[in-house]
Amino acid sequence: LSEEKDGSVRGKMVTALGEIGSEESIPALSSIIKDKGEDEWVRDEAVIALGKIGSKESIPSLISIIKDKEEAVCVRNDAAYALSEISLEESIPVFTSILKDKGEDKDMRISAAYNLGEIGSEESISFLTSIIKDKGEDKCLREWATVVLGEIGSEESIPFLTSIIKDTEEEEGVRNEAANALGEIGSEESIPFFTSILKDKGEDGCMRIEAAYNLGEIGSEESIPFLASILKDKGEDNMMRIEAAHALSVIGREASIPFLISFLNDKKEDVWVRREAVSALSKIDSEESIPIFTSIIKDKGEDKSVRREIAIVLGKIDKADEEVISILSEIIAKREEDLWIPAISSATKLGFR
């Protein structure tokens, strides 16, 4: 390595040392990192290699790179990630120090927030909430700090995140990320709050969609009747109804099936809502869905896009029977317009040739 002059070859050699993972390589890699006359890509590869080797011997070199504001941001970012892989205990003070420094590079501060989320340390929560509370802070950083609270996943954050969402004067991106963070935490404690948002038709449309999405992510059967009531409401925004159907599919409980089948059966229903109901039923993967699917796909008076959606999802149903194969075979044989190609795909997935 010391005798090789070609930068691209040196970079590949450094990468190989990281893959080999021997601690014998640490002095040579540390030397490369310190040499600012070295090709930036080679130095970055050396940082990544130290992270892969994973020895605490590398920590001083990595910390010095992270703290050097004149260093290339890409090298500092990779050093921060490598440090978090090697030592959680020594990473947290370094990352919080970067976040506190408003004169620090914005991308570096976002990287520090991201790495705190990867570490998942609850001791970072109070510091992250202080960043989010500071409305003079960079908007993007506040959003990332909110995301990180969700990744840490502590129920301790629920009251704070709820207060952010309630603040209608808060930045839209921060509010939306707070909703997603609550969904990521996944506590049933958040269900009444999300349902209250959905009930408020004066609330921002994107926030209501986030609330429906996150009820799906929480995955409680308790949410099914309320999501079904949104689907039933034809005065409701169609995007909202589609998201409610999607949330029911994510929850994936058989208790959702009767509601979804009723919407699929209603030919007067919006086509996009019916198609989402098809998708949701296929994800729940129950035998109860097969009769309604076969009935609709056989009905040539039915909306073609709904029939096509069914032709696509039939191949995803584990419990598909001989009637399904027969219907798909007939569509393929007749080369029905817009249907026969997805029918071939589904039949193949079901083992029919």
Side-chain angles (χ1 to χ4, degrees), residues 222-286:
E222 181 186 334
S223 305
I224 291 173
F226 186 75
L227 290 166
S229 73
I230 289 175
L231 262 177
K232 285 178 183 174
D233 184 359
K234 293 189 179 182
E236 182 61 88
D237 179 80
N238 272 348
M239 285 302 296
M240 191 68 249
R241 297 175 74 212
I242 288 167
E243 190 58 53
H246 173 73
L248 287 172
S249 75
V250 174
I251 293 171
R253 308 292 178 88
E254 296 205 352
S256 305
I257 292 173
F259 299 110
L260 292 167
I261 286 177
S262 70
F263 297 116
L264 184 52
N265 259 330
D266 184 358
K267 290 186 179 183
K268 294 180 181 178
E269 184 54 85
D270 180 83
V271 168
W272 287 99
V273 174
R274 294 183 75 205
R275 287 176 61 179
E276 189 61 43
V278 171
S279 175
L281 285 167
S282 73
K283 289 172 185 172
I284 296 170
D285 192 20
S286 167

Side-chain angles (χ1 to χ4, degrees), residues 182-232:
L182 279 180
E184 187 78 19
I185 292 169
S187 170
E188 292 190 3
E189 183 184 330
S190 303
I191 292 174
F193 179 64
F194 282 134
T195 54
S196 71
I197 290 173
L198 284 168
K199 284 176 183 175
D200 182 4
K201 291 190 178 181
E203 177 59 90
D204 175 75
C206 289
M207 177 54 67
R208 294 181 74 223
I209 287 173
E210 293 283 359
Y213 170 83
N214 283 296
L215 285 176
E217 290 299 296
I218 292 169
S220 170
E221 198 163 327
E222 181 186 334
S223 305
I224 291 173
F226 186 75
L227 290 166
S229 73
I230 289 175
L231 262 177
K232 285 178 183 174

Side-chain angles (χ1 to χ4, degrees), residues 284-296:
I284 296 170
D285 192 20
S286 167
E287 289 179 4
E288 287 184 56
S289 306
I290 295 175
I292 182 68
F293 284 167
T294 54
S295 169
I296 290 174

